[in-house]
Amino acid sequence: MSGSNTPSSESLEPRKSSASGAATADCDVLIVGAGLVGATLALRLRDSGLSVGLLDKGVLRAPSDSAEPATQHQSFDPRVVALTAQSQQLLERIGVWSKLMQTRHCPYTQMRVWEQDGTGEVEFDAEEIHEPSLGSIIENSLIVDALHTRLAECLREQAQDQAPDQKRARAKWLTLFMGRGVSELEHTQEAGRPLSRLHCDDGSTVSARLIIAADGGNSRLRDLAGFETREWDYGQKAIVTTIRTREMHDRTALQRFLTTGPLAFLPLAESAEIPQGRHCSIVWSADDARADELMACTDQAFNSQLSHAMEGAFGGVEWSDTRHVFPLRQRHAKHYVQGNVVLVGDAAHTIHPLAGQGVNLGMLDVVALAEELEAGAEARRRPEDPLVLRRYQRRRIGPNLAMMGLMEGFKRGFSEQPIAVRWLRNVGLHSVNRVAALRKALARKALGI
Ligand SMILES: Cc1cc2nc3c(=O)[nH]c(=O)nc-3n(C[C@H](O)[C@H](O)[C@H](O)COP(=O)(O)OP(=O)(O)OC[C@H]3O[C@@H](n4cnc5c(N)ncnc54)[C@H](O)[C@@H]3O)c2cc1C
């Protein structure tokens, strides 16, 4: 996590090993990574009956004495996500959605998709599928702030539950291990059960029965545990920034497939600090050479090329913020479970951002893993039980691979130049746009309903 605010005053120290030197677990489940996926999973496991540790190299991004999200940033975070209805339901369940609704968010009601080479175009409309919106666009940092604020709130409730004057103290659910990065992983046994110990860069260790890697695309834990991955470069980079257009966006998202890669305008919310509804977050995925060229442009030249690439949509671009660039890499772990280590979120799969599905797939991993751990606990199975973990893997590996395949198909399909492929694309987009049932089915699929 970057841009951290306050250190966690409520981080609790791990239990020490016993006097004989034998290992004891600090928690049943240790989640490494308190980003969008890891923090959500920790909160989702609140009533699982498991003791959960959450470890991150960053600090808790929440005030320790307030239930309100930490910040109302003056400027927009360049990284945003479009959350589907399923992700929204999960955030509602863990008590975070209402906090997000108090911060900037943009429920978008229309989406237009078209391509550079041809006349094919599809328009999606929330009204047509009788939904209030097609999804909500929210800045990454605001979601992490809201998750961490909820974690801090839960820690305070937990401390009250465990106070000496409580008649029946509840078992401790959550321990935070913030401000420490993972450096080594050691596997051992205790009373015939697997136990893993993480060595952190500050010299501390934390041990657990089950270790969950939610430490992002470049997961150190995945590498330490020896997971094999299939990965390749797209040969593209994504440029992300915030822009202001001359006209209002009317809560419409745009995606245009250029021959050098897709370009998306994601409408941002108006707020007291930033009124008007003329700001969008953009993700411009472009072949490496073109991306380098765009990064080297002056602001004025960039705005003009961007306006041209989006065919002057929303009256053209009048201002753009600092540009950030990410190399695009597809990565998928061959397995999500190895012994007592499990992968979730980007640690298991990273996909092209063209359909904005990365976080949403991670949220579905969270739901599946939490449900399997809970079902296992009901059947008196331990969290590290291979049967429980394999059920999670079976539930998620197929759908994640299918979505990655679809994105790959889109990416390739729209960059192909042969006339026959271009003709097919045009016919395809026109057909989707003409057939209302198909259009509605696609909109519902993207929304996750
Ligand atoms: C340009 C771009 C645009 C995108 N747009 C979208 C979009 O519109 N919609 C969407 O759904 N997705 C989008 N994504 C993908 C999305 O950002 C990721 O899927 C999401 O951030 C993954 O969440 P995560 O929690 O798995 O990992 P991360 O968000 O990367 O969190 C990982 C956490 O682990 C911690 N960590 C890392 N290493 C260690 C360590 N060694 N020790 C301890 N802690 C560690 C980090 O501090 C961090 O808190 C986009 C991605 C890119 C690159």
Side-chain angles (χ1 to χ4, degrees):
M1 289 175 303
S2 58
S4 308
N5 301 332
T6 19
S8 163
S9 55
E10 282 157 290
S11 303
L12 301 174
E13 285 308 308
R15 277 176 246 158
K16 299 275 180 290
S17 295
S18 66
S20 65
T24 53
D26 294 305
C27 42
D28 296 322
V29 176
L30 178 64
I31 302 167
V32 175
L36 297 172
V37 172
T40 302
L41 179 59
L43 288 163
R44 175 61 183 78
L45 289 176
R46 186 174 190 182
D47 297 317
S48 63
L50 297 166
S51 63
V52 176
L54 181 61
L55 182 148
D56 200 289
K57 61 185 180 186
V59 295
L60 197 69
R61 291 163 54 115
S64 53
D65 57 351
S66 162
E68 298 308 314
T71 41
Q72 281 290 348
H73 306 272
Q74 288 299 309
S75 56
F76 290 104
D77 181 352
R79 294 279 301 266
V80 305
V81 290
L83 293 175
T84 59
Q86 283 165 321
S87 298
Q88 179 180 326
Q89 278 157 18
L90 174 59
L91 294 172
E92 254 163 22
R93 176 173 177 156
I94 60 174
V96 167
W97 189 251
S98 57
K99 293 190 190 311
L100 280 175
M101 291 302 95
Q102 293 162 30
T103 64
R104 277 196 302 256
H105 64 283
C106 184
Y108 63 105
T109 51
Q110 298 193 335
M111 182 168 186
R112 194 177 147 218
V113 181
W114 76 109
E115 65 156 334
Q116 180 175 0
D117 266 356
T119 53
E121 177 169 334
V122 193
E123 281 186 29
F124 300 102
D125 193 331
E127 243 178 47
E128 202 174 56
I129 53 167
H130 310 293
E131 291 292 332
S133 72
L134 293 170
S136 275
I137 293 167
I138 314 185
E139 296 151 67
N140 278 28
S141 56
L142 294 183
I143 308 178
V144 174
D145 287 353
L147 286 164
H148 285 200
T149 302
R150 180 75 185 127
L151 284 167
E153 196 177 278
C154 291
L155 278 175
R156 282 194 297 278
E157 289 167 15
Q158 176 173 271
Q160 281 160 12
D161 280 351
Q162 292 179 319
D165 57 344
Q166 280 293 105
K167 288 206 180 74
R168 281 183 55 210
R170 275 168 56 142
K172 195 163 109 197
W173 149 62
L174 182 65
T175 307
L176 295 186
F177 303 97
M178 303 301 279
R180 41 185 121 178
V182 170
S183 51
E184 291 302 327
L185 171 67
E186 180 193 348
H187 293 300
T188 170
Q189 293 264 325
E190 183 213 24
R193 285 179 70 184
L195 182 76
S196 292
R197 190 180 295 127
L198 286 182
H199 295 259
C200 303
D201 51 14
D202 64 350
S204 63
T205 60
V206 188
S207 58
R209 303 289 174 200
L210 172 64
I211 308 275
I212 300 174
D215 51 345
N218 295 319
S219 171
R220 168 107 176 115
L221 191 53
R222 182 188 60 219
D223 295 344
L224 289 172
F227 281 88
E228 278 185 68
T229 55
R230 277 189 68 231
E231 48 190 282
W232 64 91
D233 264 331
Y234 283 113
Q236 287 192 337
K237 291 177 185 156
I239 298 174
V240 297
T241 187
T242 306
I243 59 160
R244 191 175 61 239
T245 52
R246 291 193 181 84
E247 293 166 13
M248 312 263 259
H249 51 57
D250 281 336
R251 302 192 166 185
T252 302
L254 305 177
Q255 173 107 277
R256 186 166 188 232
F257 285 93
L258 306 169
T259 47
T260 49
L263 166 62
F265 277 19
L266 305 168
L268 293 170
E270 51 272 37
S271 67
E273 312 93 67
I274 310 174
Q276 295 167 335
R278 290 195 286 134
H279 289 87
C280 290
S281 180
I282 67 143
V283 184
W284 193 344
S285 309
D287 296 340
D288 286 336
R290 175 74 178 130
D292 293 343
E293 223 174 79
L294 289 168
M295 284 304 288
C297 280
T298 61
D299 286 359
Q300 207 183 4
F302 179 77
N303 297 349
S304 144
Q305 299 208 34
L306 187 55
S307 300
H308 179 71
M310 213 34 131
E311 296 190 311
F314 306 151
V317 178
E318 64 173 18
W319 169 85
S320 55
D321 206 347
T322 310
R323 280 160 254 157
H324 303 264
V325 67
F326 300 88
L328 293 178
R329 213 171 159 69
Q330 163 117 291
R331 187 188 290 112
H332 191 248
K334 288 189 180 167
H335 305 281
Y336 293 178
V337 177
Q338 200 143 292
N340 62 336
V341 183
V342 177
L343 308 180
V344 290
D346 272 27
H349 42 76
T350 47
I351 68 171
H352 199 290
L354 73 86
Q357 286 302 316
V359 170
N360 294 305
L361 292 183
M363 295 289 178
L364 293 174
D365 294 348
V366 166
V367 172
L369 182 55
E371 284 177 359
E372 292 309 333
L373 288 172
E374 282 168 354
E378 260 175 45
R380 308 188 73 77
R381 290 191 178 278
R382 292 165 171 164
E384 74 276 16
D385 189 323
L387 263 172
V388 173
L389 302 180
R390 271 194 242 115
R391 284 178 65 91
Y392 156 70
Q393 175 171 280
R394 266 201 304 277
R395 272 178 69 175
R396 291 306 302 148
I397 216 160
N400 285 340
L401 268 174
M403 180 59 82
M404 294 175 94
L406 190 65
M407 291 308 106
E408 187 62 17
F410 263 119
K411 197 239 150 212
R412 282 173 196 254
F414 280 96
S415 54
E416 297 287 338
Q417 286 309 304
I419 190 113
V421 181
R422 276 161 48 193
W423 179 80
L424 270 177
R425 277 196 317 246
N426 268 310
V427 171
L429 285 176
H430 274 307
S431 312
V432 171
N433 208 40
R434 267 201 318 266
V435 183
L438 191 54
R439 213 170 51 232
K440 288 183 205 172
L442 273 177
R444 287 186 173 281
K445 180 87 187 143
L447 201 51
I449 51 178

